[in-house]
Amino acid sequence: MSEERKFRWIGTRPIRHDGLDKVTGRANFGADFSLPGMLHGRVLRSPHAHARIVSIDTRPALALEGVKAVLVGADLPDIPSQIGSGGEQQVDFRDLSHNVLARDKVLYDGHALAAVAATSPRIAAEALERIVVEYQVLPHVLTVDEAMAPGAPILHEDMFTKGIEPTPSEPSNVAGRVELGHGDPEQGFADADVILEREFTTQTVHQGYIEPHAVVARAGEDGQCMVWCCTQGAFMVRAYCAKLLGLDVSQIKVIPSEIGGGFGGKTTVYLEPLALLLSRKSGRPVKMVMDRGEVFRASGPTSGARVRVKLGAKRDGTFTGADVSLYYDAGAFKGSPVMAGGMTILAPYKIPHVKIECFDVVVNKPKVAAYRAPGAPISAFGGESLIDELADELGMDPIELRMKNAVSEGTKAVYGPKFRRIGFEETLEALRSHPHYSAPLGPNQGRGVAAGFWFNGGMQSSASVNVNEDGTAVVISGCPDIGGSRASLALMAAEELQIPVERIRPVVGDTETVGYNDLTGGSRVTFATGMAVIQAAQDVVAQLRKRAAKIWEVELDGVRWEDGRAICTNGNGETPEPLTIRDLARRAARTGGPIAGTASLTARGIGPSFGAHICDVEVDRETGRVSVVRYTAVQDAGKAIHPSYVEGQMQGGAAQGIGWALNEAYLYDENGRLENPGFLDYRIPVASDLPMIDTVIVEVANPMHPYGVRGVGETPIVPPLAAVANAVRHATGVRFCDLPLSPPRVLEGIEAAR
């Protein structure tokens, strides 16, 4: 158990290994890479939300001097519907292929339907303008309510709602229904003294990563392909491209660049298959980079949703029953994170009778992608807002109400299994005892609290630890670093090798230099890949002890590893001088050759993570503008490997959640065209919008990890939507059930209350 272990490096705050390259501009991101003879690719995108493609004439584009290749949907293999994995969520490869390049219909503003490769970006842009497309414009739907209404235009004539018995005979925009829960909600409500019910809505929002999608692809004459791209998973890109293009994975090598943000949005493919196919057609490397408008119009945001929550409790605050319905839009193809929303909405609480219905609904918007704790912030907005109201109705402190119903070790989760050792109660206690919670409020200010939960992931990881001749070490993993994993993996290797972390060099490998790794997502890398690094480093230590025993001609049991040195403990005769890792590395050729450790695993024993936040806002009653004036995030990290990175994750998640609550939303016109595809009109928080976000790291060790680690990256975005909304309610006396809480909406609510 990590509580019993004394660490030397774990829990320290070394300077990040990749920091100098990034602050000096030497780090290579996706768009920084080029090859000799490279062509430039561009994508033709639909101006319509829903239309049938009557015809596409690409001949005028091909006739333009400098155009070397043109693609349309018919150039991609026809793939049957098949569910597969490789990303953060399961994917239907037919849908993925049709999202990469449309076939018979375009299904959203920005849907790709052709691509060109030319000798310059200017010629490629002109070629797009020459492609002649004839559309039959069709009616569109943009919300779950529109999509589910009787007589709504159908996006997919072959989609029949799954999860309903008997299976419907008519096609529908509802891709599926799933029900979770236990007990009898009606009995739960019969046992209640107070019952509250409300509906909440959220809008489509984007992850807002700074770096656009970018790729360079080269298809060789021998069939071997190279892909350089910004991605959260090189092995995912390899698998998806192979599937979509009918190749073997062995034909594709993927090299991940540095990544300028992802937050789940780079866990799928958009440009990569197109660049590969254009390269194959043209015989030259092809570079493709999205502009900001394309990122918003054509890469996956997260769902807009409607959430209905009904909750019952006794007078003493004990929850008795809950009934929840979640309707998430999936964009143009099935696969919203509604299931995760249903599994997380009430996961922090003990409720004897629960029913949760989850509906996956397609609409004429970009296919959604993962966004940091996919689905959970949306459902938590509904659940935690209603709990806040219930606390007022019962005259209870909102943290006390949550404490009374908090899950603990042995509690059966809403989604099935029993919790092992978890730290939700400790997290709430730390929140309640924080000075922020008792600080006075000023005029027009309000305070809100909310809690959140995320599972965290395990999945497959490989790592290697190689010892250099000078006794330094290289740690190689296949997980792109989007949140500090280089530092955390280096710290774990340093802890096992017992050498300074500065003597460890962490490297992100490509698909041919390290064993298979699932993608960076699900808050899994420090947990799962960290375990692989620990095992690989332990393999190295075992080899070092064995080599020292050989040099000293003693039994292996007579050698221990301490402070980066082999120490002889056999006690027979004169004790030899300890051998450092440098000493042993220099003698490697005479004791067995290079020293390298490897490990591969499917990580088990994930540690669920809980967080709880306090938010203070000030509301301008004349304009409706909401300002966040103080914010505190508390979270159980199990064990903070690099506390600065953990704090940064907590602050980053809170900042994104605050933006989601106050400003962010996709805005469409009456024709289904996105009106704000850029950071000027799609407003994410900047430094001047936020106070310094205070953080408190709670450490309740995950008993299934050698250091006690729990994933931390996703939980921090779950509470903020509700925390902000609850604070605005206490500042104004008005419950707002629809996000974002933009000034016009808040002012309208205040004036209506007057």
Side-chain angles (χ1 to χ4, degrees):
M1 294 293 293
S2 66
E3 291 108 331
E4 301 168 359
R5 181 170 177 178
K6 300 299 182 184
F7 293 109
R8 171 172 296 186
W9 295 106
I10 299 303
T12 63
R13 302 171 186 257
I15 295 172
R16 58 189 296 167
H17 295 74
D18 55 330
L20 190 61
D21 282 351
K22 288 181 175 175
V23 299
T24 58
R26 288 199 296 264
N28 288 314
F29 293 84
D32 293 329
F33 193 76
S34 298
L35 285 174
M38 185 178 71
L39 302 176
H40 298 270
R42 290 291 302 273
V43 176
L44 181 66
R45 301 189 181 278
S46 168
H48 303 294
H50 193 194
R52 198 170 303 282
I53 304 170
V54 178
S55 64
I56 302 180
D57 186 358
T58 62
R59 289 172 297 178
L62 278 168
L64 182 64
E65 185 177 355
V67 173
K68 302 300 181 181
V70 178
L71 295 179
V72 294
D75 292 307
L76 268 69
D78 188 22
I79 298 174
S81 180
Q82 179 184 350
I83 303 298
S85 59
E88 193 162 352
Q89 298 169 261
Q90 287 192 323
V91 63
D92 186 314
F93 287 116
R94 182 177 184 273
D95 289 350
L96 182 62
S97 179
H98 284 237
N99 191 52
V100 166
L101 213 54
R103 305 303 199 272
D104 300 324
K105 289 201 300 183
V106 288
L107 296 169
Y108 55 89
D109 169 41
H111 197 169
L113 72 157
V116 303
T119 53
S120 74
R122 180 189 61 79
I123 294 173
E126 185 178 343
L128 293 185
E129 294 178 358
R130 293 192 175 202
I131 297 175
V132 180
V133 185
E134 182 182 351
Y135 298 98
Q136 178 191 352
V137 179
L138 303 171
H140 62 273
V141 291
L142 295 174
T143 68
V144 291
D145 290 338
E146 291 175 0
M148 297 175 70
I154 299 298
L155 273 68
H156 304 282
E157 295 294 337
D158 58 351
M159 179 179 286
F160 300 85
T161 306
K162 294 184 178 179
I164 296 178
E165 296 295 339
T167 302
S169 59
E170 296 293 326
S172 169
N173 291 324
V174 180
R177 174 191 175 275
V178 175
E179 183 175 318
L180 307 170
H182 53 254
D184 179 5
E186 291 306 315
Q187 180 62 53
F189 296 130
D191 295 339
D193 298 313
V194 177
I195 299 172
L196 295 180
E197 182 174 8
R198 279 195 184 274
E199 283 197 355
F200 304 84
T201 64
T202 67
Q203 303 303 310
T204 300
V205 300
H206 199 271
Q207 298 87 348
Y209 37 81
I210 301 302
E211 182 194 17
H213 297 265
V215 59
V216 176
R218 182 182 68 201
E221 295 82 352
D222 59 355
Q224 294 298 307
C225 303
M226 303 278 283
V227 178
W228 294 262
C229 60
C230 55
T231 178
Q232 291 179 234
F235 291 88
M236 173 272 299
V237 171
R238 183 180 72 172
Y240 284 6
C241 287
K243 190 69 177 180
L244 268 55
L245 300 179
L247 302 173
D248 295 330
V249 293
S250 60
Q251 293 179 265
I252 303 174
K253 177 180 180 178
V254 179
I255 304 171
S257 68
E258 292 291 350
I259 182 169
F263 311 112
K266 293 175 181 171
T267 58
T268 186
V269 293
Y270 300 103
L271 301 177
E272 293 87 349
L274 300 180
L276 270 175
L277 200 50
L278 286 169
S279 178
R280 184 194 291 174
K281 275 194 145 188
S282 64
R284 292 168 63 175
V286 174
K287 182 174 185 175
M288 303 182 79
V289 181
M290 285 189 183
D291 62 33
R292 185 62 59 187
E294 289 180 294
V295 171
F296 276 101
R297 293 173 63 217
S299 69
T302 195
S303 305
R306 175 161 59 88
V307 176
R308 181 193 62 82
V309 186
K310 183 178 181 181
L311 185 61
K314 293 184 178 294
R315 280 288 168 198
D316 66 358
T318 304
F319 294 160
T320 60
D323 187 4
V324 176
S325 297
L326 305 176
Y327 304 86
Y328 284 29
D329 83 54
F333 299 94
K334 63 182 178 290
S336 75
V338 68
M339 184 71 169
M343 295 168 75
T344 57
I345 180 171
L346 299 172
Y349 306 108
K350 295 178 287 191
I351 308 176
H353 303 284
V354 182
K355 176 185 175 184
I356 302 172
E357 286 185 296
C358 306
F359 294 87
D360 184 32
V361 185
V362 294
V363 298
N364 293 114
K365 292 190 288 191
K367 173 174 171 51
V368 302
Y371 181 16
R372 206 168 186 165
I378 298 168
S379 60
F381 167 56
E384 293 292 312
S385 295
L386 201 65
I387 290 172
D388 185 71
E389 287 197 58
L390 188 60
D392 279 1
E393 184 75 18
L394 295 170
M396 291 185 68
D397 176 90
I399 296 181
E400 182 60 37
L401 179 59
R402 289 171 171 83
M403 286 282 288
K404 186 174 185 64
N405 296 281
V407 293
S408 57
E409 185 175 6
T411 303
K412 184 177 181 180
V414 170
Y415 57 90
K418 289 184 178 181
F419 287 113
R420 296 189 182 96
R421 183 75 174 94
I422 53 176
F424 186 40
E425 292 175 316
E426 290 84 350
T427 299
L428 289 173
E429 188 56 53
L431 195 76
R432 182 167 58 183
S433 61
H434 194 280
H436 181 176
Y437 195 55
S438 56
L441 290 166
N444 299 316
Q445 292 185 350
R447 176 168 296 145
V449 301
F453 163 85
W454 189 249
F455 319 90
N456 301 319
M459 302 192 284
Q460 300 176 88
S461 284
S462 299
S464 61
V465 176
N466 303 330
V467 178
N468 296 319
E469 299 92 317
D470 61 357
T472 59
V474 178
V475 175
I476 306 175
S477 79
C479 299
D481 183 355
I482 63 172
S485 57
R486 280 190 183 92
S488 65
L489 299 182
L491 282 164
M492 293 183 187
E495 192 68 47
E496 294 299 326
L497 298 177
Q498 289 292 292
I499 63 176
V501 69
E502 293 80 13
R503 294 180 63 78
I504 307 283
R505 178 170 175 78
V507 175
V508 177
D510 59 53
T511 55
E512 291 184 355
T513 59
V514 68
Y516 181 87
N517 277 261
D518 279 312
L519 83 176
T520 300
S523 302
R524 70 169 218 91
V525 175
T526 295
F527 168 76
T529 307
M531 284 203 287
V533 168
I534 291 168
Q535 291 181 16
Q538 289 171 344
D539 183 8
V540 168
V541 169
Q543 293 180 46
L544 292 168
R545 290 177 58 236
K546 185 176 180 180
R547 289 165 191 249
K550 184 175 183 179
I551 292 169
W552 291 328
E553 298 181 344
V554 300
E555 295 295 324
L556 182 60
D557 291 345
V559 180
R560 77 169 187 269
W561 190 257
E562 184 179 305
D563 296 332
R565 304 177 304 166
I567 298 174
C568 186
T569 61
N570 73 338
N572 296 328
E574 185 176 343
T575 302
E577 286 293 317
L579 292 170
T580 67
I581 190 172
R582 178 179 296 183
D583 296 332
L584 292 165
R586 287 172 175 169
R587 303 187 193 189
R590 299 191 299 274
T591 59
I595 303 167
T598 62
S600 298
L601 51 83
T602 297
R604 306 295 184 190
I606 56 175
S609 175
F610 294 85
H613 294 191
I614 309 170
C615 175
D616 290 357
V617 302
E618 183 172 314
V619 180
D620 186 329
R621 290 181 171 269
E622 300 302 318
T623 65
R625 182 174 185 270
V626 177
S627 301
V628 177
V629 296
R630 188 171 182 181
Y631 203 98
T632 300
V634 181
Q635 186 172 322
D636 175 19
K639 181 62 184 178
I641 301 299
H642 191 302
S644 296
Y645 272 121
V646 174
E647 291 162 354
Q649 289 288 339
M650 294 165 69
Q651 292 166 331
Q656 288 182 308
I658 290 168
W660 196 338
L662 293 181
N663 296 305
E664 297 181 40
Y666 271 31
L667 303 176
Y668 286 90
D669 66 16
E670 65 276 8
N671 296 313
R673 292 182 182 140
L674 186 61
E675 292 187 297
N676 60 334
F679 286 137
L680 182 63
D681 297 310
Y682 181 95
R683 194 173 183 283
I684 64 173
V686 296
S688 58
D689 293 318
L690 299 169
M692 178 55 70
I693 296 170
D694 197 8
T695 59
V696 178
I697 300 173
V698 174
E699 293 185 317
V700 177
N702 171 14
M704 304 303 291
H705 188 277
Y707 296 168
V709 167
R710 303 179 190 275
V712 299
E714 290 171 281
T715 302
I717 202 174
V718 181
L721 280 65
V724 172
N726 291 340
V728 172
R729 175 173 179 263
H730 291 293
T732 63
V734 180
R735 165 57 68 189
F736 293 92
C737 296
D738 306 306
L739 296 183
L741 300 179
S742 57
R745 177 168 285 158
V746 173
L747 185 60
E748 182 182 354
I750 292 172
E751 291 178 344
R754 287 173 183 163

